[in-house]
Amino acid sequence: MDQITALLDSFQRRNPHKQLWLAVSGGVDSMVLMHAYAHRAKDQGLETANVVYVDHNLHKDSESWGRHVLEAAKNYGLAAQVLTIQCDAKRAIEETARERRYQAIFQLMDKDDLLLTAHHFDDQKETFMFRALRGTGITGLKCMTEHSYLYGYQVGRPLLTVSQQQIHAYALKHNIQWVEDSSNTNVQFSRNAIRSALSHLQHETGFLTTQAHIKRQLSAYDELLIQSLKTLTPEPHILNVAQLKEHSAALQQELFYHWLKQLGAVSHDRVASLLHSLIHANQDKYPSDIINGFSILRYRDFAVIIALPAVMADLESSEHEVIIPQHGRIINPLGKKLSIKKMRKVGRYKKKFQQLGIPAWLRQHIPLVNEIPIFEDASISWVPPKEWRFFIQ
């Protein structure tokens, strides 16, 4: 068993999945990946893989490349299909194409499926330089991992330790035919310029050593931040800003960034700006921001991540228990008819809201039952959403 087939075999055994998908562009890297899988599957009686070629409509020959992939897949006994997408040339073409390519493929997959790509060792070096030149933090310099999740779907890269030279040698040995994208030599694209520059450097051992250092140091860094955050977060979505201020400015930003990672990707510049507004806010101010659909707000000594729903529409109900999605559960033990409305004016209840610790940005979401807030009527109780209970005593 050659090196590429052995790596593919080992990767699949370590990463269980329901159905396998192969992203094949027609270039030498992905054609080698498809060939290696097809022959391994035939030898070992494995399930067939789903081959996907994505036509970005950015090159005059893209349609013929798709036909080449379909024909090769057919010869290997693999199911294959072509997906056609449109990319906005006004945006960064490389980033747009990558984003839409993955999104199109994931629409075909289940969450238990696995998508294999042909990223290799030379791609790792390019990614390292590309991210470094864009000003990424140390986490980004770790580059690609063998297995990861993208938009919630599994992505595998079994060839990350294989060089471009080894891939070409495999293709020549097995007489694999591939297509050449002339745009890959256009140095106006950042990755192509980096690829051209790196072709003159052969320091694989040093690069691998650097990546090992980064991986080890990040592991220790993450462990220390997690331990520190445990003392600052009474709940995962709540951060004690008063205690955070006791740390150095540099550590404040790293802890805050680590806390916000639960919301997905967020830039360090955005983190620094939001942290500054939260840290220096007066007690009577409520700075806020929205990141990936979640609100980040400050109330008294705490910052909170919360998904604020739209203010409820007027509801009529006579049930003993009324469940209002995203607003909590209203319990009516007396069984009397309830008129549940949104609170349009909170002025007359302002002092009561302050006594209960309900911040201004939550008040309009408190249900108004029979024309009064629930906390005014002992016969009716309200169980608010879990993330609100820290503020509603």
PDB file of all heavy atoms in Angstrom, residues 366-382:
ATOM      1  N   ILE A 366     -40.900  41.751  28.854  1.00  0.00           N
ATOM      2  CA  ILE A 366     -41.630  41.157  29.965  1.00  0.00           C
ATOM      3  C   ILE A 366     -43.123  41.132  29.621  1.00  0.00           C
ATOM      4  O   ILE A 366     -43.690  42.157  29.254  1.00  0.00           O
ATOM      5  CB  ILE A 366     -41.411  41.958  31.262  1.00  0.00           C
ATOM      6  CG1 ILE A 366     -39.911  42.070  31.573  1.00  0.00           C
ATOM      7  CG2 ILE A 366     -42.165  41.330  32.427  1.00  0.00           C
ATOM      8  CD1 ILE A 366     -39.219  40.758  31.801  1.00  0.00           C
ATOM      9  N   PRO A 367     -43.789  39.983  29.717  1.00  0.00           N
ATOM     10  CA  PRO A 367     -45.212  39.914  29.361  1.00  0.00           C
ATOM     11  C   PRO A 367     -46.069  40.805  30.260  1.00  0.00           C
ATOM     12  O   PRO A 367     -45.856  40.885  31.469  1.00  0.00           O
ATOM     13  CB  PRO A 367     -45.563  38.435  29.561  1.00  0.00           C
ATOM     14  CG  PRO A 367     -44.256  37.719  29.495  1.00  0.00           C
ATOM     15  CD  PRO A 367     -43.253  38.654  30.075  1.00  0.00           C
ATOM     16  N   LEU A 368     -47.032  41.443  29.662  1.00  0.00           N
ATOM     17  CA  LEU A 368     -48.014  42.245  30.381  1.00  0.00           C
ATOM     18  C   LEU A 368     -49.302  41.415  30.422  1.00  0.00           C
ATOM     19  O   LEU A 368     -49.923  41.172  29.387  1.00  0.00           O
ATOM     20  CB  LEU A 368     -48.251  43.564  29.650  1.00  0.00           C
ATOM     21  CG  LEU A 368     -49.068  44.627  30.375  1.00  0.00           C
ATOM     22  CD1 LEU A 368     -48.291  45.155  31.586  1.00  0.00           C
ATOM     23  CD2 LEU A 368     -49.397  45.774  29.435  1.00  0.00           C
ATOM     24  N   VAL A 369     -49.671  40.962  31.599  1.00  0.00           N
ATOM     25  CA  VAL A 369     -50.819  40.071  31.758  1.00  0.00           C
ATOM     26  C   VAL A 369     -51.948  40.820  32.454  1.00  0.00           C
ATOM     27  O   VAL A 369     -51.763  41.374  33.549  1.00  0.00           O
ATOM     28  CB  VAL A 369     -50.432  38.811  32.556  1.00  0.00           C
ATOM     29  CG1 VAL A 369     -51.642  37.882  32.698  1.00  0.00           C
ATOM     30  CG2 VAL A 369     -49.285  38.077  31.858  1.00  0.00           C
ATOM     31  N   ASN A 370     -53.096  40.797  31.811  1.00  0.00           N
ATOM     32  CA  ASN A 370     -54.252  41.523  32.357  1.00  0.00           C
ATOM     33  C   ASN A 370     -53.886  42.973  32.688  1.00  0.00           C
ATOM     34  O   ASN A 370     -54.246  43.499  33.733  1.00  0.00           O
ATOM     35  CB  ASN A 370     -54.818  40.812  33.586  1.00  0.00           C
ATOM     36  CG  ASN A 370     -55.379  39.435  33.232  1.00  0.00           C
ATOM     37  OD1 ASN A 370     -55.592  39.130  32.055  1.00  0.00           O
ATOM     38  ND2 ASN A 370     -55.595  38.610  34.235  1.00  0.00           N
ATOM     39  N   GLU A 371     -53.095  43.570  31.778  1.00  0.00           N
ATOM     40  CA  GLU A 371     -52.733  44.985  31.833  1.00  0.00           C
ATOM     41  C   GLU A 371     -51.691  45.331  32.891  1.00  0.00           C
ATOM     42  O   GLU A 371     -51.383  46.500  33.092  1.00  0.00           O
ATOM     43  CB  GLU A 371     -53.979  45.885  32.036  1.00  0.00           C
ATOM     44  CG  GLU A 371     -55.027  45.717  30.946  1.00  0.00           C
ATOM     45  CD  GLU A 371     -54.505  46.031  29.550  1.00  0.00           C
ATOM     46  OE1 GLU A 371     -53.590  46.860  29.439  1.00  0.00           O
ATOM     47  OE2 GLU A 371     -54.999  45.439  28.582  1.00  0.00           O
ATOM     48  N   ILE A 372     -51.143  44.341  33.604  1.00  0.00           N
ATOM     49  CA  ILE A 372     -50.104  44.636  34.593  1.00  0.00           C
ATOM     50  C   ILE A 372     -48.964  43.636  34.418  1.00  0.00           C
ATOM     51  O   ILE A 372     -49.177  42.524  33.934  1.00  0.00           O
ATOM     52  CB  ILE A 372     -50.631  44.548  36.055  1.00  0.00           C
ATOM     53  CG1 ILE A 372     -51.166  43.146  36.338  1.00  0.00           C
ATOM     54  CG2 ILE A 372     -51.687  45.601  36.320  1.00  0.00           C
ATOM     55  CD1 ILE A 372     -51.550  42.945  37.783  1.00  0.00           C
ATOM     56  N   PRO A 373     -47.735  44.018  34.772  1.00  0.00           N
ATOM     57  CA  PRO A 373     -46.618  43.066  34.709  1.00  0.00           C
ATOM     58  C   PRO A 373     -46.902  41.888  35.646  1.00  0.00           C
ATOM     59  O   PRO A 373     -47.534  42.044  36.686  1.00  0.00           O
ATOM     60  CB  PRO A 373     -45.420  43.878  35.190  1.00  0.00           C
ATOM     61  CG  PRO A 373     -45.826  45.300  35.045  1.00  0.00           C
ATOM     62  CD  PRO A 373     -47.298  45.334  35.264  1.00  0.00           C
ATOM     63  N   ILE A 374     -46.412  40.730  35.289  1.00  0.00           N
ATOM     64  CA  ILE A 374     -46.708  39.519  36.061  1.00  0.00           C
ATOM     65  C   ILE A 374     -46.289  39.644  37.516  1.00  0.00           C
ATOM     66  O   ILE A 374     -46.943  39.147  38.415  1.00  0.00           O
ATOM     67  CB  ILE A 374     -46.030  38.309  35.402  1.00  0.00           C
ATOM     68  CG1 ILE A 374     -46.707  38.035  34.055  1.00  0.00           C
ATOM     69  CG2 ILE A 374     -46.103  37.068  36.262  1.00  0.00           C
ATOM     70  CD1 ILE A 374     -46.085  36.949  33.258  1.00  0.00           C
ATOM     71  N   PHE A 375     -45.139  40.327  37.769  1.00  0.00           N
ATOM     72  CA  PHE A 375     -44.660  40.368  39.155  1.00  0.00           C
ATOM     73  C   PHE A 375     -45.583  41.155  40.087  1.00  0.00           C
ATOM     74  O   PHE A 375     -45.415  41.149  41.295  1.00  0.00           O
ATOM     75  CB  PHE A 375     -43.233  40.932  39.223  1.00  0.00           C
ATOM     76  CG  PHE A 375     -43.029  42.234  38.518  1.00  0.00           C
ATOM     77  CD1 PHE A 375     -43.589  43.409  38.990  1.00  0.00           C
ATOM     78  CD2 PHE A 375     -42.256  42.292  37.370  1.00  0.00           C
ATOM     79  CE1 PHE A 375     -43.378  44.621  38.351  1.00  0.00           C
ATOM     80  CE2 PHE A 375     -42.038  43.506  36.714  1.00  0.00           C
ATOM     81  CZ  PHE A 375     -42.598  44.665  37.205  1.00  0.00           C
ATOM     82  N   GLU A 376     -46.593  41.842  39.569  1.00  0.00           N
ATOM     83  CA  GLU A 376     -47.534  42.586  40.393  1.00  0.00           C
ATOM     84  C   GLU A 376     -48.703  41.713  40.855  1.00  0.00           C
ATOM     85  O   GLU A 376     -49.470  42.103  41.722  1.00  0.00           O
ATOM     86  CB  GLU A 376     -48.090  43.785  39.600  1.00  0.00           C
ATOM     87  CG  GLU A 376     -47.068  44.863  39.317  1.00  0.00           C
ATOM     88  CD  GLU A 376     -46.799  45.730  40.528  1.00  0.00           C
ATOM     89  OE1 GLU A 376     -47.749  46.283  41.095  1.00  0.00           O
ATOM     90  OE2 GLU A 376     -45.622  45.830  40.906  1.00  0.00           O
ATOM     91  N   ASP A 377     -48.870  40.528  40.225  1.00  0.00           N
ATOM     92  CA  ASP A 377     -50.017  39.666  40.508  1.00  0.00           C
ATOM     93  C   ASP A 377     -49.526  38.350  41.096  1.00  0.00           C
ATOM     94  O   ASP A 377     -48.957  37.519  40.408  1.00  0.00           O
ATOM     95  CB  ASP A 377     -50.817  39.430  39.226  1.00  0.00           C
ATOM     96  CG  ASP A 377     -52.149  38.738  39.484  1.00  0.00           C
ATOM     97  OD1 ASP A 377     -52.289  38.115  40.548  1.00  0.00           O
ATOM     98  OD2 ASP A 377     -53.024  38.820  38.610  1.00  0.00           O
ATOM     99  N   ALA A 378     -49.787  38.114  42.400  1.00  0.00           N
ATOM    100  CA  ALA A 378     -49.283  36.924  43.082  1.00  0.00           C
ATOM    101  C   ALA A 378     -49.952  35.649  42.580  1.00  0.00           C
ATOM    102  O   ALA A 378     -49.430  34.549  42.782  1.00  0.00           O
ATOM    103  CB  ALA A 378     -49.494  37.059  44.589  1.00  0.00           C
ATOM    104  N   SER A 379     -51.101  35.770  41.941  1.00  0.00           N
ATOM    105  CA  SER A 379     -51.814  34.580  41.485  1.00  0.00           C
ATOM    106  C   SER A 379     -51.287  34.043  40.156  1.00  0.00           C
ATOM    107  O   SER A 379     -51.672  32.965  39.723  1.00  0.00           O
ATOM    108  CB  SER A 379     -53.308  34.889  41.341  1.00  0.00           C
ATOM    109  OG  SER A 379     -53.526  35.826  40.289  1.00  0.00           O
ATOM    110  N   ILE A 380     -50.429  34.809  39.540  1.00  0.00           N
ATOM    111  CA  ILE A 380     -49.875  34.400  38.248  1.00  0.00           C
ATOM    112  C   ILE A 380     -48.350  34.439  38.347  1.00  0.00           C
ATOM    113  O   ILE A 380     -47.783  35.395  38.860  1.00  0.00           O
ATOM    114  CB  ILE A 380     -50.341  35.348  37.120  1.00  0.00           C
ATOM    115  CG1 ILE A 380     -51.876  35.331  37.020  1.00  0.00           C
ATOM    116  CG2 ILE A 380     -49.721  34.948  35.781  1.00  0.00           C
ATOM    117  CD1 ILE A 380     -52.420  36.373  36.070  1.00  0.00           C
ATOM    118  N   SER A 381     -47.689  33.417  37.864  1.00  0.00           N
ATOM    119  CA  SER A 381     -46.226  33.388  37.900  1.00  0.00           C
ATOM    120  C   SER A 381     -45.670  33.221  36.494  1.00  0.00           C
ATOM    121  O   SER A 381     -46.342  32.715  35.600  1.00  0.00           O
ATOM    122  CB  SER A 381     -45.725  32.245  38.786  1.00  0.00           C
ATOM    123  OG  SER A 381     -46.133  30.982  38.271  1.00  0.00           O
ATOM    124  N   TRP A 382     -44.431  33.633  36.331  1.00  0.00           N
ATOM    125  CA  TRP A 382     -43.782  33.558  35.022  1.00  0.00           C
ATOM    126  C   TRP A 382     -42.419  32.893  35.164  1.00  0.00           C
ATOM    127  O   TRP A 382     -41.618  33.277  36.008  1.00  0.00           O
ATOM    128  CB  TRP A 382     -43.632  34.963  34.424  1.00  0.00           C
ATOM    129  CG  TRP A 382     -42.944  34.982  33.082  1.00  0.00           C
ATOM    130  CD1 TRP A 382     -43.210  34.183  32.019  1.00  0.00           C
ATOM    131  CD2 TRP A 382     -41.880  35.839  32.673  1.00  0.00           C
ATOM    132  NE1 TRP A 382     -42.398  34.489  30.965  1.00  0.00           N
ATOM    133  CE2 TRP A 382     -41.569  35.507  31.328  1.00  0.00           C
ATOM    134  CE3 TRP A 382     -41.166  36.866  33.300  1.00  0.00           C
ATOM    135  CZ2 TRP A 382     -40.576  36.153  30.609  1.00  0.00           C
ATOM    136  CZ3 TRP A 382     -40.194  37.507  32.577  1.00  0.00           C
ATOM    137  CH2 TRP A 382     -39.893  37.164  31.250  1.00  0.00           C
TER     138      TRP A 382
END
